[in-house]
Amino acid sequence: MTYKKQNFQHYIPLLCIAFVYIFWLSLQGIHSALANFLSQISIAITMVFGSFVAGGTALGGGAVAFPVMTKVLAIDPTTAKVFSLAIQSFGMTAASITIIFGGIKYYRSVVLLALIGALPGVAISLLFIADLIPRLMTKSLFSVFLLVFAITLLRAHWRGKVHLSIDLSCKRQNTLVVLVAFLGGVVSGLIGSGADIAIFALLMLYFKADLKIATASSVLLMAATSVFASLINYFYIGNVTAEISQYVLAAIPVVVIGAPLGAYCCAKVPKSVLLSFLLTLIGLEIGFTLYEVINVRAY
């Protein structure tokens, strides 16, 4: 009986993907769905890589979507942020289902505690802070967060002993997790990603957590944060425009496969390979930001 139950759980991610595809086609119709997909092919291709990164790393899909959309496709940072949160709601949720039902380890207590801080943080950011931050500062803030993430990865790589379990019985530690998640949630409201990176950094530097378990935990946190933020954007703020909707509809069939695949590969590949991939990605993004900042000052 137990074996049959476990065997069925492995099919749950596939059933969810099939359900999303059926919903995607029924919502638009086959002809309209394919036409929109082809017209927004640059977004879809971007999210092939973005969804893989979202599911397999602590960076979130915004680590690819945000810089490509703002720096390569010349899309407004606000549009890129809203899109990043919206598409992560699909991709990272799909990855989370794979993590939970695929038997991939994560720090459950940390995720639940972090949500207490991340959800209010992203709400406050979207409602009261986001409109006050200049566009170039938003792009630069994203690069700073990635630099912090890179430093965290390097320190984790050089460190020896890791903890496969985390004790949160201390109130000070609980408060720290909530506070860091809150600050990360604020950043998520500005650039579409942040809570995942902040908690990942805390897990690696303070709790000396395992790289892969910390990554899976950050994916679960950002999935919930993205869904919550997207609901605010859609129902309260109303900034999910027709343009963003077209982007999201074009990317959905890509991310619901790419993100679970990323989660699976992250759990299987050597840590050194994962580290090299992430550092290369971060280096390219920071290089583009520096180039843009220098050009703006020169102008």
Side-chain angles (χ1 to χ4, degrees):
M1 187 68 180
T2 303
Y3 173 76
K4 290 183 178 180
K5 182 179 179 180
Q6 291 178 345
N7 195 39
F8 174 75
Q9 287 181 343
H10 290 299
Y11 290 102
I12 291 179
L14 295 177
L15 293 174
C16 291
I17 292 173
F19 173 80
V20 170
Y21 266 81
I22 293 171
F23 175 77
W24 178 70
L25 289 172
S26 62
L27 182 66
Q28 305 172 86
I30 296 178
H31 178 74
S32 296
L34 292 178
N36 182 63
F37 181 83
L38 292 175
S39 66
Q40 306 295 341
I41 192 66
S42 59
I43 298 295
I45 292 174
T46 298
M47 292 316 300
V48 169
F49 301 99
S51 60
F52 187 87
V53 171
T57 74
L59 287 176
V64 173
F66 189 85
V68 171
M69 292 178 75
T70 57
K71 296 166 185 172
V72 179
L73 302 179
I75 294 174
D76 181 77
T78 301
T79 299
K81 177 200 67 177
V82 174
F83 167 76
S84 295
L85 287 169
I87 201 60
Q88 284 174 173
S89 300
F90 290 92
M92 299 189 83
T93 297
S96 297
I97 293 173
T98 301
I99 290 169
I100 294 172
F101 294 101
I104 298 174
K105 294 181 179 180
Y106 63 96
Y107 298 113
R108 183 173 180 269
S109 58
V110 173
V111 173
L112 294 176
L113 192 60
L115 285 173
I116 298 174
L119 299 185
V122 73
I124 291 172
S125 180
L126 289 172
L127 297 174
F128 304 109
I129 303 176
D131 292 337
L132 304 176
I133 306 298
R135 295 178 181 180
L136 183 57
M137 185 180 294
T138 300
K139 297 179 183 180
S140 301
L141 178 63
F142 186 82
S143 297
V144 169
F145 243 65
L146 288 185
L147 182 59
V148 172
F149 183 79
I151 294 171
T152 302
L153 284 175
L154 289 173
R155 289 196 61 181
H157 180 68
W158 290 326
R159 194 189 59 232
K161 186 178 180 182
V162 298
H163 296 160
L164 299 180
S165 61
I166 293 176
D167 182 16
L168 291 176
S169 58
C170 176
K171 290 184 179 180
R172 180 182 176 184
Q173 292 178 334
N174 291 346
T175 303
L176 182 61
V177 171
V178 173
L179 178 60
V180 170
F182 175 81
L183 296 175
V186 171
V187 176
S188 295
L190 298 176
I191 60 177
S193 185
D196 48 351
I197 297 175
I199 286 299
F200 178 85
L202 180 67
L203 284 171
M204 299 302 296
L205 298 179
Y206 183 80
F207 290 104
K208 295 180 174 56
D210 178 79
L211 173 63
K212 293 185 178 181
I213 303 178
T215 297
S217 302
S218 69
V219 170
L220 290 168
L221 173 62
M222 200 58 211
T225 304
S226 297
V227 171
F228 182 70
S230 295
L231 291 174
I232 295 176
N233 281 330
Y234 188 81
F235 290 105
Y236 191 83
I237 300 177
N239 58 1
V240 181
T241 62
E243 178 187 19
I244 294 174
S245 297
Q246 290 178 341
Y247 292 163
V248 172
L249 289 172
I252 283 176
V254 173
V255 301
V256 296
I257 294 178
L261 182 63
Y264 178 80
C265 290
C266 172
K268 300 297 181 181
V269 300
K271 294 179 181 179
S272 58
V273 174
L274 181 61
L275 179 67
S276 300
F277 172 71
L278 289 173
L279 292 178
T280 301
L281 185 67
I282 292 169
L284 289 173
E285 204 286 328
I286 293 175
F288 276 119
T289 298
L290 290 175
Y291 176 79
E292 186 172 10
V293 170
I294 291 171
N295 279 353
V296 168
R297 288 182 177 178
Y299 180 81

